[in-house]
Amino acid sequence: MHMIRVEPRCRVIIDNDWAGDPDGLVALAHHALSPANRIVAVTASLTNPMFGPPGGRAQAGGHLAEDLLRVLKLPELPAVHAGPDAPFIGQPRANPAARAIVDAAEAGGDLPLILVCAGPLTNVADALLLDPAVARSLTLAWVGGAARDDEEYNYFTDPAAADYVLGNRDLAVWQFPAETYRKIVAPVAELDVEFRNAGPAGAWLWEHFNSLEVPGFVKFGPLWCLGDSAPLVVTGLDDSTSTYVETSAAPQRRTYTSVDTRLIMADFAAKLQLQG
């Protein structure tokens, strides 16, 4: 039996620092299993030095994303393109990730295009610098920023990139700041149960949560933040149970003040079980 039919509502580019916190990989699996969105490109960004020397980390993250997509065994999923390991420099630098974003924007299509970034905005900044027309071809859904930006991981990993992207007057942005995304949490016990009993993809995710290398000062508690899944409410699901504030002027700037955690987590658990 097939799942009840769901029509695609958008095309998505997924950008993340896949070699960092594994909640990004959960979000990638969720998008890949969601028929309401169609993935047209996946790109890998640099990681914060807290996860180790930055050299080769974007490429390593790209390999992780590719491996997960292979485990999911879904048809017609795109290749993963890695960006640079260095922060934004404010000058054009053609790299595979930026080029993939530009190509996806130029390809057009019958559905709106959403660029989901749940990491530093390095690849997005490089793409906008490479081709400014990208800004008018898509909406950026960014997991990042906070009331104090310098205290938020995705911002301070590459503040120059964030300032450049958010300062673009042609770019529509749907932002999920720290005050919102940090409330998307799941009990570790629940994740253990779901991953262990959801086939090869669940086992793959379980292994990466258990093998994450972090600095000694990081201590894990009974809850795990899955903040990178926040944009699912505007891609694979619906934001009818979320709240936000937005500007009336174009381009649209929207800040989500709450998202439905139960909706996101229940949907992912069900899709992982069906896939397994």
Side-chain angles (χ1 to χ4, degrees):
M1 295 177 65
H2 296 289
M3 195 171 119
I4 297 171
R5 183 174 178 82
V6 174
E7 293 293 335
R9 56 183 292 181
C10 62
R11 295 170 294 135
V12 293
I13 303 167
I14 312 290
D15 180 86
N16 208 317
D17 53 339
W18 309 112
D21 193 310
D23 69 319
L25 297 167
V26 169
L28 176 60
H30 199 167
H31 277 103
L33 294 171
S34 297
N37 60 236
R38 182 187 305 153
I39 299 177
V40 295
V42 179
T43 53
S45 67
L46 78 165
T47 59
N48 190 280
M50 70 175 286
F51 287 101
R57 297 290 289 177
Q59 191 68 53
H63 292 324
L64 279 174
E66 287 177 335
D67 195 32
L68 173 57
L69 293 175
R70 281 195 296 269
V71 171
L72 290 170
K73 295 182 179 179
L74 300 174
E76 300 179 6
L77 286 175
V80 182
H81 304 273
D85 289 310
F88 182 59
I89 61 175
Q91 298 177 3
R93 51 179 180 180
N95 62 73
R99 186 72 255 171
I101 293 171
V102 171
D103 289 346
E106 290 179 344
D110 56 338
L111 298 170
L113 180 61
I114 301 174
L115 170 48
V116 176
C117 178
L121 287 166
T122 312
N123 292 336
V124 183
D126 279 341
L128 290 172
L129 200 57
L130 192 61
D131 184 357
V134 166
R136 296 184 293 275
S137 302
L138 52 78
T139 297
L140 170 66
W142 183 45
V143 178
R148 286 182 56 86
D149 282 336
D150 59 350
E151 297 179 354
E152 194 279 320
Y153 172 87
N154 290 336
Y155 178 86
F156 72 64
T157 297
D158 194 347
D163 291 342
Y164 180 80
V165 171
L166 299 179
N168 190 302
R169 295 181 178 272
D170 294 322
L171 180 65
V173 179
W174 297 338
Q175 185 175 0
F176 299 84
E179 292 82 3
T180 300
Y181 76 72
R182 285 176 181 163
K183 295 177 183 177
I184 304 176
V185 295
V188 169
E190 182 180 341
L191 292 179
D192 258 325
V193 171
E194 289 181 359
F195 291 163
R196 288 172 187 263
N197 295 284
W204 190 97
L205 289 168
W206 186 89
E207 174 62 30
H208 284 80
F209 270 81
N210 276 276
S211 62
L212 178 64
E213 296 182 7
V214 295
F217 66 83
V218 176
K219 305 299 181 185
F220 297 120
L223 300 181
W224 199 296
C225 178
L226 297 176
D228 285 4
S229 295
L232 264 297
V233 300
V234 294
T235 55
L237 294 166
D238 190 276
D239 66 359
S240 58
T241 58
S242 303
T243 60
Y244 57 81
V245 295
E246 64 183 355
T247 60
S248 57
Q252 183 185 68
R253 294 292 170 103
R254 178 184 295 178
T255 301
Y256 280 82
T257 53
S258 73
V259 295
D260 191 333
T261 299
R262 191 214 65 81
L263 176 70
I264 295 170
M265 295 308 303
D267 183 72
F268 180 61
K271 283 173 176 166
L272 201 59
Q273 287 289 335
L274 287 170
Q275 193 274 345

